[in-house]
Amino acid sequence: MVGYGMRAFTRAIVATGCSALLCQAVWAQFTIVNLYPGVGEFSMINGGALGSQVGVAFVDSISQASLWTGSGSSWVSLNPQGAQYSTAFGSSSGQQVGYASISDSWHASLWTGTAASWVDLNPFPGEYSVANATDNNQQVGYARHNSAERACVWSGTAASWVDLSSGSAFSEAYTVKNGVQGGHEDFLACIWRGTAASKVALSPPGDDGSAVRGIGGDQQVGYVRVGGRVRASLWRGTAESWVDLSPLDSIESVAYDATKGQQVGYSDVASGACLWAGTPGSHVSLQAYLPSNYHNSRATSIVCDGIKTVIGGWAYNSNAGREEAILWIADDFDLTLNKTAVAGQNSVLGTVSIGEPKPTNTTFSMSDNSSLVLTPSSVTVQAGQLSKSFQVATTAIISTVVTTIYAKLGKMTRPQTLTLIPLVPTALSFTPTQVSSGQPTICRVVINGVAGPGGRTLSISDNSIYSTVPSTIIVPAGASSVSFPITTTTVSQAVTVRVTARVSAGEKTGTFRIVP
């Protein structure tokens, strides 16, 4: 999962001090859990994995890399023996990463649940390094070497260090998922796939400073500074895919993590932690679910396990004057489609599912972003059930269009993209494929879906004076193919006839032979 990052962490701690929330309190849709361990001046969550959270707690007069498993009482110090202080930034499947200060130098660090498990990832004696994130296979961060801070990736040991920078003085990797690393080079957002040469720049026009802070599925999230504003940002692998998530009138916002089409971070409009579902209009304030004495919250991680969605971060408790690690927990659900692409006029089967049966009905609000699809306004999973399926109808189109279907439960939204493609011919076959002079053949044309009301009209042509085809044919409504006869005349030598079925969006050609 995403790691928060050393320099951002330093900027964030401008005040410390809090009387804890109730250990667990339900605020509207979210259950709020306070992970403050009961002692120390502050605590913060920087990253999360299923069932565990990592960050820092100031205990016994030092900052200590910290691990929780869902409650304040579960707090475990990861501060290794001999370290002056430490912080954990990311975790995944039993691994935790961050840094420990050893002899006044930061050492990128890897743990597996205990302080004693500490592994020093620092590749260069006398220099310093920080690990920001792990996906259980790779760890990423940066290392200071030859007067440059270099984005890098490890595979569990200091010796495995790989330099991701392209000779720049400043670069850093903040996140890693399935072999993709995200961060910045010369303060411009980019992703890598294990080598410096693999870098893909994500910087949009006008970018005055940006970084990728988290990866979830095919999405990368972070921020872009444009026009004097810091804008929470979303990408899908290219600079052209950039989406500005910042709410209207926002001056500063950042997205730190993403999963299942949702993103979490911070916005000054919300005065704290917030949640998105891929668009600025989907912005939801998580700060609003905290008690009134909690302010300036941040959401740094989001994980979903099919039963619960767990968002981690922190908030400032003005009653006690300290930062406290916070979890926002909501019932998890999912939206799936049985096809990711479908021809126009054809339908898709969608399913909403919940993690565990409920004693009462669970009703989802449904919507889409296009007039080309027809989605029901709501779908209800009956009491005691786990899922409900529904149909999404589509209309005829002349070019490929990407649409999005949304399922919403309370403040949580699940998006699924659906690509609509034109209904076009995909195959021509002939029975028989070779005929004697004057004998007919039957041509069968197949389209890439089912024809809608009124059928699908195709233009037919051939390239031979020895055959006769109709100028148009109609695939009947509800059918995916149509057959028609082709007559032939006498030939003195073998002839190959090319027949083409065509619509404005595409065509398909097949051949048969006429022999004397």
Side-chain angles (χ1 to χ4, degrees), residues 286-431:
L286 296 174
Q287 169 71 39
Y289 289 88
L290 298 175
S292 59
N293 59 303
Y294 282 80
H295 311 282
N296 300 322
S297 58
R298 300 289 189 273
T300 57
S301 67
I302 178 170
V303 292
C304 304
D305 65 359
I307 298 177
K308 298 293 181 184
T309 293
V310 181
I311 299 170
W314 70 83
Y316 180 75
N317 184 341
S318 59
N319 287 352
R322 64 172 167 245
E323 305 279 355
E324 294 182 355
I326 298 293
L327 297 179
W328 292 261
I329 301 175
D331 287 341
D332 194 19
F333 65 93
D334 209 356
L335 167 65
T336 58
L337 303 175
N338 71 329
K339 299 176 183 177
T340 57
V342 66
Q345 296 186 313
N346 285 251
S347 63
V348 171
L349 184 69
T351 302
V352 288
S353 55
I354 56 179
E356 52 191 9
K358 304 295 182 184
T360 58
N361 292 349
T362 303
T363 299
F364 295 83
S365 298
M366 307 298 300
S367 61
D368 55 67
N369 68 344
S370 174
S371 61
L372 301 175
V373 297
L374 181 61
T375 306
S377 60
S378 64
V379 174
T380 298
V381 177
Q382 297 295 316
Q385 300 298 307
L386 288 173
S387 64
K388 178 67 176 180
S389 295
F390 58 95
Q391 292 286 336
V392 177
T394 71
T395 61
I397 59 171
I398 60 174
S399 60
T400 299
V401 177
V402 178
T403 65
T404 306
I405 312 298
Y406 299 94
K408 185 175 183 181
L409 182 63
K411 298 295 184 181
M412 304 293 287
T413 302
R414 289 281 185 270
Q416 280 289 347
T417 57
L418 175 64
T419 300
L420 306 184
I421 56 179
L423 196 62
V424 297
T426 57
L428 276 72
S429 61
F430 301 88
T431 305

Side-chain angles (χ1 to χ4, degrees), residues 459-479:
S459 298
I460 304 297
S461 62
D462 63 6
N463 69 336
S464 175
I465 62 174
Y466 302 105
S467 58
T468 302
V469 300
S471 59
T472 61
I473 58 171
I474 297 176
V475 181

